[in-house]
Amino acid sequence: MKIFVMLETFLPQITPSGNLISHLLPLINKNFKVEIICQTNNQNTEDIVNNIKVRRFRKNVRITDKLLSKIRRLPMHYNEEMNLFLIETINNSEEKIILLPITSREILLATCLKEQFPSKIILVPFLLEEIHNFFKLKDIRNLHSRIENFCDEIFILPKLENYFTNRNVIQLEHPMIIDNISTSIKTKKKIVYIGGLDKVNRNPQKILDFIKKMDKYNKDVFFNFYGYGSVDYLLKKVQSETSNFTYHGSVEYSKALEILRDSSLIITIGNKNTNLVPSKLFDCISTGNPIVHFYQDNNDPYLTYLKEYPYHLNVPMNNIDYDKVVEFINNNFMNRSNFDFIEKKYFEYTPEKVYSDMHEVIMKYEEK
């Protein structure tokens, strides 16, 4: 059978959905014919990423949506060209097609296709979070209902266990723990942060103040930030005022994995919204490098995930203990966990484990 993995954007862009599925794809591709279908801001294109075909369809550009987004929630639309391509593919296929959508608009499209071709499609979405609340409320309710009514199975992350009442709900973990451990010996205190930053949900101001203090008293520690968001001006300002901080902007996902691997120590920052679990944490754990995690809420899910991780320090964002953080850096920057230990502690988060569970479910429908 053929599987179409459907999501809003895919590599080389760094997105939670693309990052989460990327390590699963080689395993899925061993047993099925896999294609990625996603959207792009440019013209329709086809390319190959990690030996898998990726079809990119130009996003629907709606001027009204851009205006509405400033004052109220948006209506939910799916990509018309993606829809037409899939309809043609389904009509021409002699066997069932598996749709594995991940993001909201693509899940909406998949449910519409399932409604139209109920006997020709196996629909198994993988939800990473609740449906975004920037859509109209009636669209959110409608999509939630459609997911329960039209999906054959629903793969979800554990945090969504109470989001659906459908009996065909299967919990899967983030399939992101891989062996990304360097064999080089650490000699410098090179600290890295990679990810999104913004004023509201993940504001780095207090961490930047901490870094500026480090520049005065601990000049052998160097910070490198890579990311995207609405606070570039803050990062550039700190870079101009210090000698220990460099802001590099965004990088492709494969490059981000290299940077994390080659660091001495990694910074992670929890969200103010504790319902969000950034997949980047599992990329960090995969390196075995020490982690300093800054959290904003005692219910931050990172705190639970890091319990099994040997080299970590949890730091409340509103009360950063300067001496404690410096001591952790000095005592741990040369440390590194081995992958055997990480794989044992985080086996449920490996692509192999998640794919095994997913494959078992899908095969039930191939046998019918």
Side-chain angles (χ1 to χ4, degrees):
M1 287 191 292
K2 190 163 194 172
I3 293 184
F4 286 98
V5 178
M6 306 166 62
L7 64 168
E8 187 168 354
T9 54
F10 188 60
L11 305 178
Q13 290 178 266
I14 295 181
T15 62
S17 54
N19 298 353
L20 181 135
I21 201 73
S22 63
H23 300 309
L24 271 181
L25 290 174
L27 300 174
I28 299 174
N29 203 34
K30 288 181 179 179
N31 298 100
F32 302 94
K33 300 173 184 175
V34 180
E35 281 193 25
I36 304 292
I37 53 176
C38 61
Q39 301 190 63
T40 177
N41 291 322
N42 304 313
Q43 297 300 318
N44 294 358
T45 60
E46 293 181 18
D47 57 349
I48 303 295
V49 177
N50 298 331
N51 298 316
I52 295 174
K53 178 179 279 190
V54 181
R55 297 179 188 267
R56 305 179 195 270
F57 296 89
R58 186 177 183 181
K59 289 183 179 179
N60 300 334
V61 179
R62 298 173 185 263
I63 296 175
T64 54
D65 280 4
K66 291 183 177 180
L67 295 174
L68 287 172
S69 67
K70 303 293 184 182
I71 56 175
R72 62 183 181 185
R73 292 173 174 172
L74 292 173
M76 191 182 296
H77 306 290
Y78 56 71
N79 189 293
E80 298 289 351
E81 291 190 66
M82 188 186 291
N83 178 40
L84 293 174
F85 163 75
L86 284 169
I87 289 174
E88 181 181 3
T89 302
I90 293 164
N91 279 325
N92 293 334
S93 177
E94 296 181 357
E95 60 180 359
K96 288 185 177 182
I97 287 176
I98 301 170
L99 298 182
L100 202 168
I102 299 175
T103 39
S104 296
R105 289 186 176 90
E106 286 64 41
I107 293 173
L108 173 63
L109 171 55
T111 61
C112 292
L113 292 168
K114 178 68 175 181
E115 185 176 18
Q116 189 174 352
F117 303 99
S119 63
K120 300 193 72 173
I121 291 174
I122 299 168
L123 178 51
V124 285
F126 190 174
L127 272 79
L128 314 185
E129 58 192 7
E130 296 181 7
I131 301 163
H132 284 304
N133 62 10
F134 55 68
F135 294 122
K136 285 186 174 180
L137 286 175
K138 68 175 183 179
D139 288 347
I140 294 173
R141 296 191 188 102
N142 178 52
L143 180 53
H144 188 279
S145 176
R146 293 185 68 85
I147 292 170
E148 292 201 317
N149 291 332
F150 291 107
C151 294
D152 296 289
E153 308 279 353
I154 307 170
F155 296 126
I156 61 169
L157 293 179
K159 65 180 179 178
L160 299 177
E161 62 180 333
N162 298 318
Y163 193 56
F164 295 104
T165 58
N166 192 306
R167 60 183 175 82
N168 295 330
V169 173
I170 295 109
Q171 292 187 33
L172 300 175
E173 267 297 353
H174 296 73
M176 300 189 67
I177 295 295
I178 62 171
D179 187 350
N180 189 33
I181 295 177
S182 174
T183 57
S184 64
I185 298 173
K186 302 179 188 180
T187 57
K188 295 182 178 180
K189 299 171 185 175
K190 184 170 62 175
I191 301 177
V192 163
Y193 172 80
I194 298 182
L197 295 168
D198 60 74
K199 290 182 180 179
V200 178
N201 201 42
R202 206 184 294 164
N203 191 323
Q205 184 60 66
K206 292 180 180 179
I207 299 171
L208 295 176
D209 292 340
F210 167 81
I211 289 172
K212 287 194 287 186
K213 186 174 179 180
M214 289 281 289
D215 187 50
K216 292 182 180 179
Y217 302 109
N218 301 85
K219 292 184 175 296
D220 61 335
V221 182
F222 300 93
F223 296 86
N224 290 271
F225 274 44
Y226 301 78
Y228 51 90
S230 59
V231 293
D232 281 22
Y233 68 97
L234 287 177
L235 303 170
K236 291 175 180 177
K237 184 173 184 291
V238 173
Q239 178 174 269
S240 68
E241 295 172 346
T242 64
S243 60
N244 69 338
F245 178 87
T246 305
Y247 174 55
H248 302 268
S250 61
V251 292
E252 293 184 359
Y253 183 56
S254 58
K255 183 63 177 177
L257 293 181
E258 289 181 25
I259 292 167
L260 290 171
R261 182 193 65 209
D262 295 337
S263 67
S264 301
L265 189 143
I266 299 169
I267 285 175
T268 57
I269 304 173
N271 290 307
K272 184 173 287 187
N273 178 359
T274 58
N275 289 322
L276 298 176
V277 183
S279 56
K280 186 61 62 187
L281 172 65
F282 302 98
D283 290 330
C284 299
I285 290 173
S286 294
T287 67
N289 289 326
I291 295 172
V292 175
H293 177 62
F294 294 92
Y295 64 95
Q296 304 181 65
D297 190 293
N298 289 331
N299 294 316
D300 184 340
Y302 271 37
L303 302 177
T304 299
Y305 286 119
L306 285 170
K307 280 182 180 178
E308 298 290 338
Y309 196 70
Y311 303 119
H312 80 277
L313 177 67
N314 297 323
V315 182
M317 189 94 82
N318 62 357
N319 186 25
I320 298 175
D321 186 327
Y322 180 86
D323 292 334
K324 188 174 182 179
V325 177
V326 171
E327 181 182 17
F328 179 83
I329 293 171
N330 290 333
N331 291 343
N332 290 280
F333 80 94
M334 294 184 69
N335 291 330
R336 184 185 290 130
S337 295
N338 63 68
F339 186 68
D340 288 342
F341 175 86
I342 292 173
E343 186 178 35
K344 181 179 179 181
K345 293 293 185 181
Y346 293 93
F347 179 69
E348 295 292 323
Y349 306 85
T350 61
E352 291 77 13
K353 168 57 177 170
V354 174
Y355 175 66
S356 175
D357 294 343
M358 184 180 285
H359 182 259
E360 183 178 344
V361 172
I362 293 173
M363 290 305 293
K364 292 190 307 185
Y365 293 91
E366 187 174 52
E367 293 163 3
K368 291 182 179 180

